[in-house]
Amino acid sequence: MSTATPANLLEFDLDGLAAFCERLGEKRFRATQLFRWIHQRGADDFGQMSDLAKSLRGKLEGCATVRALPVVAQHMSQDGTIKWLFDVGAGDAVEAVFIPEDDRGTLCISSQAGCAVGCRFCSTGHQGFSRNLTTGEILAQLWFAEHFLRRHLGTAERVVSNVVMMGMGEPLQNYAALVPALRVMLDDHGYGLSRRRVTVSTSGVVPMIDRLAQDCPVALAVSLHAPGDALRDKLVPLNRKYPLDELMAACQRYLAHAPRDFITFEYCMLDGVNDQPEHARELIALVERHRTQGVWCKFNLIPFNPFPASGLKRSGAPQVAAFARLLADAGIVTTVRKTRGDDIDAACGQLAGDVKDRTRVAQRIALQRQVPLQPAGGLAAGG
Ligand code: SAH
Ligand code: SF4
């Protein structure tokens, strides 16, 4: 038996797994079988994989593993949203959030422990950057959630229908790990998700938007938050490197490859900062200036989720409605995001993965014991 650390098979897309199996002297179809066991059936024990030759199972036991992330805490919101906190070692933790709706199940996952972009209004940004997640750590969130939920609901059917890279971190600053993870999500032998139902959200890493268009085009959401460079420089510091006109041009280029014919712009509504009628008018002018086709973008207005130390306030509902109306009257499709899971700090921008604060983790674990998950079938109805 080898003394080297066993390879974690969650790290591989199908080509990577085929190359790994080839090194063991196995054919590609064996890799496909193994891949399906792992991702479609949630198996982590080679002994379970009954249609794999005994000799292969024996080889795998010596040099490979399917290693998920330890779950530090699990919370369920009144509205059915579930948040998991995963330990990624060295005091870091990341969060994933499952949001059940009538017609879909969306999983929001993290790409980094912390984030280096440092947006003013984001709790992850305030925490600073710790490290990139590996492909296996990104996928472990989906692997765990999908198979946990299937067991919990007593179903063999797929539960997660949509994935959004909107948890902690800037996915396009962890590009090398992101792309193989996306490929596994899309692979028919993996999770088989449609490109339209996998969304990468970015604060605007322009060169990587172009690369994603070539390597793995999926739905794109861009976190805009300001209609002009002066304000965006302050709210999203990455804007100093990639200003709005460059970002808009990259969005236009992306559209030629995207699975959807529009880009979603996210806009976090901050009281008195970016929510005034003049901001809406400037935004409309920005969209017009870059228009090359009829409808090319949609706006998603996000009510700001406050956290201690942000020093910012959520815009009032009338302010949000007035802003949405101005955009809509100019022919821009605009929605206001419903806040989900805010009673368990699972709403956008509240994900801080604060595993270093042991007291808080202990409280969370205690809470989890008091609020066990509902029996099968109770999920969509909410807690
Ligand atoms: N780094 C990527 C993806 C993660 S953030 C990005 O910035 O797009 C996911 C979304 O949550 C982004 O649109 C982000 O702007 C938004 N967000 C961050 N902090 C927030 C907060 N406190 N309230 C509401 N939305 C927030
Ligand atoms: Fe990073 Fe996105 Fe938060 Fe900005 S909003 S700090 S890019 S996670």
Side-chain angles (χ1 to χ4, degrees):
M1 212 216 288
S2 158
T3 52
T5 315
N8 184 5
L9 302 187
L10 289 179
E11 298 291 344
F12 298 127
D13 61 11
L14 186 51
D15 284 345
L17 192 62
F20 179 81
C21 286
E22 203 176 310
R23 288 196 291 277
L24 298 179
E26 299 286 341
K27 298 238 159 47
R28 187 177 174 102
F29 84 94
R30 290 291 179 208
T32 305
Q33 278 180 308
L34 182 56
F35 193 77
R36 292 171 69 102
W37 271 106
I38 296 170
H39 294 290
Q40 294 191 341
R41 305 191 54 177
D44 59 358
D45 173 0
F46 302 123
Q48 282 173 274
M49 304 182 182
S50 47
D51 59 356
L52 288 190
K54 267 219 172 101
S55 59
L56 172 57
R57 284 190 259 161
K59 280 187 217 169
L60 289 169
E61 255 139 35
C63 66
T65 177
V66 179
R67 196 170 52 250
L69 293 171
V71 178
V72 182
Q74 168 176 283
H75 296 295
M76 191 171 187
S77 159
Q78 292 298 318
D79 66 15
T81 301
I82 306 177
K83 179 172 82 167
W84 293 281
L85 182 68
F86 296 96
D87 185 356
V88 292
D92 285 319
V94 298
E95 292 176 317
V97 180
F98 177 69
I99 306 149
E101 288 175 275
D102 290 345
D103 59 342
R104 72 184 88 169
T106 303
L107 187 70
C108 173
I109 63 185
S110 296
S111 56
Q112 298 179 314
C115 182
V117 178
C119 299
R120 269 286 312 276
F121 49 84
C122 174
S123 155
T124 308
H126 275 241
Q127 176 193 333
F129 177 66
S130 196
R131 70 171 175 88
N132 278 330
L133 298 188
T134 66
T135 298
E137 289 168 331
I138 295 172
L139 281 172
Q141 299 167 66
L142 173 58
W143 183 85
F144 173 82
E146 173 66 36
H147 298 292
F148 169 86
L149 289 165
R150 280 194 210 176
R151 278 195 306 277
H152 173 66
L153 294 169
T155 178
E157 302 284 307
R158 180 163 69 195
V159 180
V160 175
S161 62
N162 296 55
V163 170
V164 293
M165 299 298 307
M166 292 186 186
M168 297 164 65
E170 169 47 59
L172 295 188
Q173 288 188 338
N174 185 15
Y175 191 80
L178 174 73
V179 168
L182 294 177
R183 290 200 174 116
V184 175
M185 294 175 201
L186 301 176
D187 200 312
D188 283 339
H189 298 296
Y191 297 87
L193 299 178
S194 128
R195 286 182 190 278
R196 304 157 62 88
R197 289 171 172 266
V198 174
T199 301
V200 168
S201 176
T202 179
S203 54
V205 191
V206 164
M208 294 301 154
I209 292 177
D210 286 323
R211 282 191 58 189
L212 190 67
Q214 298 302 325
D215 295 340
C216 195
V218 292
L220 186 68
V222 172
S223 296
L224 212 56
H225 310 309
D229 284 320
L231 180 57
R232 197 165 190 270
D233 280 352
K234 289 193 199 130
L235 295 177
V236 184
L238 193 68
N239 195 71
R240 293 177 207 147
K241 195 160 180 194
Y242 306 113
L244 273 173
D245 277 338
E246 282 182 33
L247 179 55
M248 294 292 122
C251 289
Q252 288 295 340
R253 291 192 295 274
Y254 194 83
L255 279 174
H257 307 267
R260 292 176 181 269
D261 55 9
F262 61 88
I263 305 282
T264 303
F265 288 128
E266 293 160 284
Y267 195 97
C268 181
M269 298 292 287
L270 303 165
D271 186 40
V273 175
N274 64 356
D275 64 347
Q276 299 299 302
E278 65 264 26
H279 296 120
R281 285 191 282 272
E282 204 183 334
L283 216 41
I284 294 163
L286 179 76
V287 168
E288 286 302 323
R289 204 161 65 242
H290 290 275
R291 184 192 296 281
T292 51
Q293 62 185 64
V295 174
W296 71 274
C297 63
K298 292 188 178 175
F299 271 79
N300 196 355
L301 305 182
I302 315 173
F304 170 59
N305 293 307
F307 58 94
S310 74
L312 295 162
K313 282 195 298 190
R314 177 186 285 196
S315 305
Q319 197 67 36
V320 176
F323 198 92
R325 169 57 57 92
L326 283 171
L327 296 186
D329 286 350
I332 300 175
V333 179
T334 306
T335 50
V336 178
R337 185 177 294 169
K338 216 169 105 205
T339 300
R340 299 284 305 260
D342 49 355
D343 55 331
I344 55 166
D345 281 2
C348 296
Q350 291 184 319
L351 308 182
D354 199 0
V355 80
K356 286 188 190 114
D357 183 345
R358 296 287 167 194
T359 344
R360 196 150 171 234
V361 168
Q363 281 167 359
R364 284 171 166 172
I365 292 170
L367 186 69
Q368 173 201 348
R369 291 205 184 103
Q370 285 161 19
V371 190
L373 280 177
Q374 300 211 318
L379 195 63

